[in-house]
């Protein structure tokens, strides 16, 4: 895996497998445990979102961390500052590696305060990718467009000391220009060539995602629902490793 040396270095470790974050979008801890066991050492980094978090996922996060895996808690926090700060402090104590918050200034400030002294990294979600300009009109944001709001919030995230941004790979170059080389960019919407897009509208391959500036890729269904999840994960890691080999 000599390619690791020529890849962007600002990910959470030098292990190229960490570039792939596997989304555990399954309804129960039992299913999550089975998927993780099948993937074995091909998977080092797992994302737990609402579905699993509220079905025993926090205890399972502890279990994964105990096995030496990294955990991304995709909780997209947003509340009054004190509540966010204390919530983030609890997640930091759990030993998670990444946590998402919505990119509102009060929320981001509180999250940065809550993670102080820990190795937890806070990722900001600028504008949910399911929102377009019409949704922002409906939500009362007009005349600000989605693109303008992404740019504004990415700049605020940078200025407030947020560690990284979650965005579509198609937005990664624009976000990178704003946040600079040292912040993390984490992108979902990744599909290996030939995989079904599902409900993802703007998909790119793993190699394209990295080329567009992502430090980490989030992939769920193409791995979790594969006949052979381990082979699916290995193929993605190999595609990343082969980029500059
Ligand atoms: O199955 P798939 O690879 O499409 O899953 C992508 C994961 O990334 C899901 O857990 C989804 O919730 C998450 N995500 C996303 N798009 C965003 C933010 C998060 O698909 N803009």
């Amino acid at each position: 895996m000599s390619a690791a040396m020529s890849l962007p270095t600002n990910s959470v470790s030098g292990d190229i497998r960490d570039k792939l974050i596997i989304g555990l979008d399954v309804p129960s801890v039992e299913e999550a445990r089975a998927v993780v066991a099948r993937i074995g050492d091909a998977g080092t980094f797992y994302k737990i979102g609402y579905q699993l978090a509220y079905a025993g996922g926090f205890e399972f996060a502890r279990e994964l961390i105990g096995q030496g895996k990294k955990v991304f808690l995709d909780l997209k926090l947003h509340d009054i500052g004190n509540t966010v700060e204390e919530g983030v402090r609890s997640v930091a104590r759990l030993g998670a590696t990444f946590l998402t918050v919505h990119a509102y200034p009060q929320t981001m400030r509180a999250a940065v305060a809550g993670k102080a002294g820990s190795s937890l990294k806070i990722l900001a979600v600028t504008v949910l990718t399911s929102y377009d300009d019409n949704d922002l009109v409906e939500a009362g944001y007009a005349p600000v467009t989605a693109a303008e709001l992404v740019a504004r919030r990415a700049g605020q995230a940078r200025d407030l000391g947020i560690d990284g941004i979650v965005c579509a790979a198609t937005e990664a170059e624009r976000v990178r220009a704003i946040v600079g080389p040292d912040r993390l960019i984490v992108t979902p919407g990744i599909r290996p060539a030939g995989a079904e897009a599902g409900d993802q509208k703007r998909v790119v391959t793993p190699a394209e995602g990295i080329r567009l500036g992502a430090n980490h890729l989030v992939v769920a269904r193409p791995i979790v629902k594969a006949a052979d999840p381990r082979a699916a994960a290995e193929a993605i890691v190999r595609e990343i490793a082969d980029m500059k080999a």
Side-chain angles (χ1 to χ4, degrees):
M1 293 267 180
S2 59
M5 289 160 59
S6 53
L7 285 162
T9 51
N10 53 347
S11 70
V12 294
S13 78
D15 187 334
I16 199 160
R17 294 173 299 176
D18 282 350
K19 298 222 160 263
L20 172 62
I21 302 177
I22 300 168
L24 286 173
D25 294 338
V26 294
S28 69
V29 168
E30 290 69 32
E31 284 173 69
R33 200 178 277 127
V35 169
V36 171
R38 290 188 70 189
I39 295 171
D41 63 7
T44 54
F45 210 152
Y46 287 95
K47 180 170 89 74
I48 294 175
Y50 287 0
Q51 184 186 23
L52 187 58
Y54 296 124
F58 295 106
E59 275 312 308
F60 186 61
R62 249 183 261 279
E63 186 177 316
L64 286 176
I65 293 163
Q67 291 169 17
K69 307 290 186 193
K70 295 187 174 64
V71 170
F72 170 3
L73 281 179
D74 190 9
L75 301 179
K76 297 190 178 69
L77 299 184
H78 182 47
D79 207 312
I80 62 168
N82 182 64
T83 301
V84 170
E85 183 173 337
E86 296 304 337
V88 170
R89 196 158 285 137
S90 294
V91 170
R93 260 187 238 120
L94 183 76
T97 300
F98 289 168
L99 169 70
T100 42
V101 302
H102 282 284
Y104 288 77
Q106 277 190 14
T107 294
M108 293 194 285
R109 251 181 235 115
V112 169
K115 70 144 198 174
S118 78
S119 57
L120 176 67
K121 293 190 186 301
I122 305 294
L123 305 179
V125 176
T126 55
V127 177
L128 292 168
T129 49
S130 57
Y131 274 63
D132 62 17
D133 292 345
N134 290 330
D135 294 303
L136 290 183
V137 171
E138 189 184 12
Y141 283 86
V144 181
T145 65
E148 287 164 355
L149 200 51
V150 167
R152 179 190 184 119
R153 289 179 170 174
Q156 290 173 329
R158 174 203 59 212
D159 295 345
L160 292 171
I162 289 290
D163 301 291
I165 302 285
V166 180
C167 67
T170 48
E171 290 174 344
E173 284 179 302
R174 225 157 25 92
V175 168
R176 178 64 75 200
I178 295 167
V179 300
D182 298 330
R183 311 278 160 183
L184 298 169
I185 293 184
V186 178
T187 62
I190 302 296
R191 288 293 176 270
E196 278 180 37
D199 55 3
Q200 296 283 9
K201 295 199 175 101
R202 289 164 292 148
V203 298
V204 306
T205 64
E208 280 166 351
I210 298 289
R211 205 170 292 121
L212 288 166
N215 303 98
H216 298 270
L217 309 175
V218 176
V219 184
R221 283 163 293 183
I223 296 175
V224 169
K225 296 203 181 304
D228 185 344
R230 180 184 176 97
E234 282 176 338
I236 293 172
V237 172
R238 204 175 314 117
E239 181 176 333
I240 298 169
D242 285 348
M243 280 178 64
K244 295 185 181 171

